Amino acid sequence: MEEWTKEHVKEWLTHLKVPQKTVSGLYDQELSGSCLVCYEKQDLFDLGVPRAPAIQILRQVKRFMSQMDMIQVHEPKHSSPGTQKAIHLKSAALDLSTDVETVSSDSGFASQNPSMLLAEEHIEKGQSRVAVKKMENETCFQDMLGCSSKDPATDSNFVTRICPTRPFDSMDQSFFYKENDILPPEVGPGNLLDPVHEYHILPSVEEFSEKEMVHEFIREVFCFAASCMNSRTNGTIHFGVKSQPGKECGQVIGQQITSDSTFREAFELSLNEYFEEEHLNAVRTCIRPPQFSRILGLDGTSSKKWVIEVDVIPSFSMTQEKVFYTSLKTASAGVEPQQCKTQCLFVREGPMAINILADPNPRVTQEKIRSITNKVKAWALARKSAEERNNRPPSLCHQGQKLKQLIMCGRDTFDDFKLIVVTDKCPSNQLENLSFLKEMEPFAVLEFDPESDINGTCSFYRKDHIANLHYPSMYTTGENISAVIGKLNLCQQTSWVFCNGRVNEESMVNKPLEPSDWLKKRSGEINNMISFLCNSDLFSKDGLLVLFILHSAVTDISSPIMEAFCAIYRTLEGSDNMLCICKDSDVFKQWRQLIETRCKVDITNKCIHELSLNEVNCTIHKLKGPHTQSFERYLPSSGSSSVLLSRKEEEMMTVLEILSENECENTEIETAESFGEFKRKTEEEYYRGGRVTWWNFYLSERPGCLPFIKRDKYKDLYDLITCPESFTSTCVMVNLFHHPGCGGTTLAMHVLWSLRTKFRCAVVHNSMALNKEVAVQVQKLLTCGNQDQSAYTPVLLLVDNWNDLGDLKQSILNVLVGRNPQNTPTIIILNCERSQFPSECSRKSHIGNVVITNKLSATEQRLFSEKLKQLKEHHMKPETFYAFMIMTKNFSEPYITNLVKNTLKDLDETSQNGRLISFLALLNTYVDGSYMSLSLCEELVGIGFEFWKKETLENKMNPYFTLLISFPVEEHGTYKAVRFLHGMIARSCLDLFTQKHTLSHGEIIIDMLHCDLLYKTRMGKDSLVQNIQSMLLKRNRKEEGDDKDTLFSPLIEHIYNDEIPDKVKEVLERATLRFEKSATLPQALARHFYLKVKDFTLSLQWAKDALDKTSNSYIADTLGQVYKSQLKEESSHLEDLSPEVLDKCLKLASKAIDAFRHSQNLAVQEESVDPNDLLDRKRQQTYNMSGYNGESEVILNVLQVIQGIPLSTISERHKKDVILQILKGNLQMSSFQNSETNDNFIAVLRDHETFLVSLQPRLKAIFCVFEEYFTYMKPRSMERESFDSRSKSKVLECFKKYIQIFCPSGEEKTKEKSTRPKLSLGQELVDQRLYLESKRADTFAGILQLLYDKNGIEMEKILEKLQFIFSNAACKSSKSDIVNFILANIVLHSIKPTSKLVRKHEELVSHVNGVLRNEGTNSRLTELYYLLMLLMWPTRGSDPVDLATYQNISAYVTSAKRSYKLRFSHMMQARSPISHFFLGKSTGLKQIVSKRRLDQIVTSKHYPTLSGQTCRAHYLWQSGVVWKDPDVQKMLLRVKGKSESRGIYVHYPGNVKIPVRPVYLGDIRSGGSQEIVSFYLGFSMEGPVAYDIKYENDP
């Protein structure tokens, strides 16, 4: 066009029917082609061109330039300028003809015109118009198919995907297009029912006004519609799709519109303007209203562009043989803005619409009209025939039944499988039809809609359920499976994984990506995530269903969702576990074709595509069956009210099974026909030996149902929990000790059921839950529906055999932060503790408890007998309810023995069934509560994986399965497990194997260690491995309720004592091969060799192997124990001691001490749990002191060896003193008289002189560590206190031996004084210190312990010695001497207030101030700050002058905390500081009240528990009873302070503000409320502590 002259432009404008006046005006203005292509709208206005012709001209210029691009693609490489010019002219003619005669300007010609003939005169010979057009159309079609000759790798816009259009004649608002998708090519009419397509791009809102855009839309729509109606073919016109020929033909671009209503209104209003009135009804019926389909961006997010489509359906009934004329508006020459109409008759010719009335020759026009009339009749007849052929009855659809089969796969309920959903963008109007997902509660959803959490499926699901938003990368952190499960809360809450990011994500890492970038950056993460999700560690293959929900067609073979399918297909090794729900048949066809191409598999039988999403939704809902839980669940609240427990709130408490006050009421199952069967199965499962459910209690209370047996101890437990006088602290604990299998847990749940309207009751059903996690969820339960902190309904929490109950309590207190303003129980923890010796556990327990044993009372026996009669009336063969029968028979062993013999009489122990039973018997005998997963049991007996499985374990093992039961287990997820009905049955089976089949326990455990199936990755593997290791490693300990301490586990002890001792070595060695990463098994082997076999070489080898695997203090201690045992063995015969043996002993001792010191250093460090030693995962938090014990025992052993050295030149009388001087470094080895014997021994001692001299100070340091450990702190766990007591006794025995060696007796001192009457002052000081050391009074911790161990006379003597040292030190007394002297005065005053030796308060204050001036605030001498608090704590009656002394006390309290943390931080996780003194109401030393005095007050009185036992002092402190004692209240001062930011501060005159730590964080209210509180003040080494906190302003 740029080369056109003004004549060319004039001719072109004339053929465009531009008004002649305008054409002439532009010609006079010298308008050439080069000018025309540069003009904009305003330029034409400036030249005087009216608005309508200006728009027409600019639009035709734009269209012409697009056509030029297409023609140049096919232009010959070598063409002359003349030829090129002819092509330009031809393009102009093409544009002219198409504008006049057609609506679709991108294909074909209708007839010749002068311009066309003019152009063709210049075209090269042999190139006809038809050939040119054919080439253009073929090229366009090839480009759309991706067959262009261009190299795809170098073409950035290369597109291969042919996408389906919106379903024809569908009001589907859910359909959407994707940007740059390519739609099918434009073609001519075919069978008249398949729609023809025509594409257009409307002008943008920036180029033209909305009115002009709508006018263009209406014009194109009605021209297209008329052509389709006349040609009797269905058709769709699309706006927002490129129309020019070429590779981009049919490319979805989209239209930006301001309002769809504008187009709809214009459409309705314009019908009568374009069509004749007599045809309006037919036209309205045949032309459907505009449809607006949204366009998604390349990254899957919604855009602001739309594709506008209009469908035309010229049915024969409406069109008959009618001919439809159209009236088009055209601009009138010279008249502005007047318009006139031109009559047109459009028909389809090829892929375009032509106006047969456009020919200027009237004769030709009339001929065409007559021809078209005949053609219309033929087309109408063809249309009628096509419609008749298409009206065949639809084929019967059986996909509803198919859907049921694919969903259930022979299963009974949804709970029998885990669901993974893979889905794309769901339209908003279809979300309600996805409500079945809320019923199925997917394990994970792989979401490919980046906007799902805003307005999609995720947002819809989260309205009623909890779903955690995840990304694929969160599954591939390199951590083990259990860690990822715990971190992401898998199996507890739905994981919603955004596989293509989220649109509202701030981080660019997780923003949506285009498909090409997604393949490069995220496909690997998807593959890894799917490998994780489909891992059999999570659930077995037969328990998994992957559901694809496709809302739109997948057309790209490498699309992200297709990549996900392929990854799942590979991981699951096929499509057996898959189900695809496709929106319609078109989506299904595309999906099936892509999968066939990619995976070479036909997916048809796994697809549902003939059902609407609504039909799918309702069908799945119906499969769910009647609900067994109330739709609305309520919790009790204050004032006998109730609050609603929403589904989302309950799902947030993942580790709790919450008992609502209306549990089991108003459920669907009660009104269902299946209720009778449900009731029967529920009762039978429980009485056979299954876990009791809330339904058992509910059914027992219904009229005509069997009442539940109420055990004798029911009332004791009920009263202990409900008695408000028993507890005063925020969180209290109650223990229920019981034999395994005697109904202890059932009794506890029965009490919970009875208290469900008084307490918020819950059971911790996840045994793997961490204490902190439980604590947080208990707080949520406490505050659910009630934010008023003044009135909380207490929580009754049931835990079963919980590890570290004390830490659980502390965790709860830490999160409750002030939820108990009334000092009444807010949380009651009921712990069901299984034990073989429950009565002994009860005796040792410091807290309230109830005991239930495996012996029924006469009353209980009568109740069980009556129950058996009732069961016979309602159930078939209740005598097969073996768990119930065992209790009915009062746990009779003969009954159980006969039962097992009769049931297993035909069992072959070598068979698969026999092997499984032997495994379970061993597990259930030695590990209470153990089990094996159902899938593992099935595999062990030969039941292979079948997706449509019919054979069951019960059928396979009949009749032996009558002794077993399957039940659900909640760990990292829910799965089915198998165990024996009762532990006594398992033990009897094990005895039967031993007696009848000579199959020993050792052979069974070796078989288990050899069986690879047991360790195959699957659900339940972690628990099984833990239980197997527990059988091999877990020793009996008195502190854990066992009758005695054992060296090895009961299984190993049994093999050693009752079988072949050598088999222990075989078992443990096999175990180390099976669990090769475990350090505890080689540790056990090392212990076996040094304790049982006395093979120290092998023992040392295994101990070092263990230490190489895991470097922790316990393993290092074992290495030291090996050396210690060898030393003990070598030194067992001192009468035969030789220099060689002495040298060996000293070397062994040195190695042992090095190992023990290494253990001590490791203990100081923060210990991490070995992930391969599952027994340690929930180990109680302790500080390992065994290294100190071991080192002290080795040193004492060495000292014993040294004392046994035969020195021939020294008399026996002086031998001890010589040895003592050697050990103290006061005697040189060269001073010995020469002799052959002496020389050999002295040579050995000389070689180890440095080592020997270090023993006494090191041993002294160890005893100091123990003194501080036992005196300054106490165990956080009450279960550890008995262990502490035994450890103290053991240390005391060692200390006595130390005293015998290094501290001379009184007789020896008297004899020494008689021979040396004039001892120097220095020697006298040494003697006094030795006396104090012998009485454990030479350290601050030792003196503090004397508060409980000594009477007044003994304490006076000790103070005299300290006074002598303090007064007669050669130089200035050391700071330790001063603080010891001050503390001794305080202790003596507490024991014997009338003693005349006690110094005055002012003098003691003066001494402590002297030390404070030297030490300041950064000292590590915690004891100094402790004395400061005791002596200088401000009192309300202090003189203003004295207050100056107290101004810095707050800083010193802070220093006490800092120094305590520096010295004891490594012990703080396991131990808490003890308050030995409290603040009294007097002044001076009288205001210091000892804990000893308070103990004497409360223990002198009788405080019986509800179980009839007298409370111990420890229980009185734990329960808070101490603070209610009137005598205690008279003695102690109740201090007032202010609660601030989770702490308490005491304010005194003189701007003194002292921080005080509450003994329980739960005593302080949350929210940072600053209120006046009062409390009793205790003094610990860490600082002041507040007890019995009360808010002063509370009523």
Side-chain angles (χ1 to χ4, degrees), residues 525-769:
E525 293 179 351
I526 296 294
N527 290 333
N528 294 334
M529 176 192 66
I530 288 172
S531 297
F532 180 96
L533 291 176
C534 299
N535 194 316
S536 55
D537 235 7
L538 290 177
F539 24 72
S540 59
K541 186 177 178 182
D542 59 334
L544 175 65
L545 176 65
V546 181
L547 174 61
F548 284 81
I549 305 177
L550 303 178
H551 300 282
S552 59
V554 181
T555 56
D556 189 349
I557 200 168
S558 59
S559 67
I561 201 168
M562 174 55 64
E563 291 296 319
F565 175 90
C566 294
I568 296 172
Y569 184 83
R570 286 193 303 270
T571 305
L572 296 180
E573 300 177 348
S575 60
D576 286 345
N577 300 74
M578 295 187 189
L579 166 61
C580 304
I581 297 177
C582 301
K583 172 191 169 185
D584 53 38
S585 296
D586 292 334
V587 172
F588 160 69
K589 291 174 183 176
Q590 294 273 352
W591 182 245
R592 179 185 61 185
Q593 183 178 359
L594 291 179
I595 292 175
E596 286 179 350
T597 303
R598 187 77 181 267
C599 302
K600 310 301 180 185
V601 63
D602 186 1
I603 200 72
T604 303
N605 63 342
K606 295 292 181 181
C607 291
I608 302 296
H609 57 91
E610 296 180 2
L611 301 179
S612 68
L613 200 53
N614 180 43
E615 291 171 323
V616 169
N617 185 47
C618 295
T619 302
I620 296 178
H621 271 292
K622 190 176 179 182
L623 289 175
K624 177 66 176 178
H627 288 265
T628 59
Q629 195 176 63
S630 307
F631 283 106
E632 291 186 344
R633 291 162 54 76
Y634 296 95
L635 295 174
S637 192
S638 58
S640 300
S641 62
S642 300
V643 295
L644 179 66
L645 175 64
S646 70
R647 186 70 174 270
K648 287 185 71 173
E649 288 175 320
E650 189 169 3
E651 288 180 358
M652 291 177 68
M653 294 174 267
T654 55
V655 302
L656 302 182
E657 178 188 349
I658 298 173
L659 173 60
S660 67
E661 63 177 348
N662 64 325
E663 191 74 36
C664 305
E665 297 177 9
N666 302 319
T667 57
E668 287 183 350
I669 189 66
E670 280 194 89
T671 58
E673 295 180 358
S674 58
F675 180 64
E677 181 66 15
F678 168 79
K679 174 187 168 186
R680 182 187 65 79
K681 285 185 176 180
T682 301
E683 291 180 342
E684 286 187 2
E685 185 173 356
Y686 166 62
Y687 288 114
R688 279 197 70 240
R691 180 178 180 268
V692 70
T693 67
W694 306 124
W695 273 102
N696 292 114
F697 301 117
Y698 177 78
L699 293 173
S700 68
E701 296 175 353
R702 285 170 55 89
C705 293
L706 305 178
F708 206 86
I709 295 176
K710 190 171 289 187
R711 304 293 295 275
D712 288 352
K713 293 299 180 74
Y714 170 89
K715 186 176 186 304
D716 290 347
L717 185 59
Y718 185 96
D719 292 342
L720 182 59
I721 292 172
T722 56
C723 180
E725 292 80 14
S726 300
F727 316 111
T728 58
S729 59
T730 302
C731 180
V732 297
M733 295 183 291
V734 174
N735 273 332
L736 173 60
F737 296 108
H738 64 97
H739 277 108
C742 72
T745 305
T746 301
L747 170 61
M749 293 184 67
H750 197 178
V751 172
L752 258 68
W753 176 260
S754 302
L755 293 175
R756 69 188 185 280
T757 58
K758 296 181 180 180
F759 292 85
R760 294 187 173 182
C761 300
V763 181
V764 179
H765 59 76
N766 186 351
S767 61
M768 304 297 289

Side-chain angles (χ1 to χ4, degrees), residues 143-147 152 157-163 182 555-556:
D143 285 344
M144 288 186 291
L145 290 179
C147 302
N157 296 319
F158 180 73
V159 181
T160 61
R161 170 167 84 236
I162 302 297
C163 300
I182 301 297
T555 56
D556 189 349

Side-chain angles (χ1 to χ4, degrees), residues 170-225:
S170 167
M171 302 290 288
D172 187 1
Q173 298 178 2
S174 64
F175 186 83
F176 51 81
Y177 288 102
K178 294 181 181 177
E179 186 179 359
N180 289 345
D181 277 355
I182 301 297
L183 302 187
E186 296 172 318
V187 294
N191 60 8
L192 303 183
L193 298 183
D194 292 336
V196 298
H197 298 278
E198 193 169 296
Y199 307 132
H200 291 272
I201 296 289
L202 293 175
S204 65
V205 292
E206 291 82 7
E207 294 176 337
F208 297 98
S209 66
E210 184 180 43
K211 182 177 180 182
E212 294 170 341
M213 184 188 300
V214 171
H215 172 74
E216 179 71 10
F217 166 76
I218 294 299
R219 181 175 181 272
E220 297 289 355
V221 165
F222 289 147
C223 293
F224 171 80

Side-chain angles (χ1 to χ4, degrees), residues 246-259:
K247 64 180 179 178
E248 296 180 348
C249 181
Q251 183 179 2
V252 175
I253 302 299
Q255 300 282 169
Q256 285 190 342
I257 60 175
T258 56
S259 172

Side-chain angles (χ1 to χ4, degrees), residues 977 1339 1353:
T1339 64
I1353 297 176

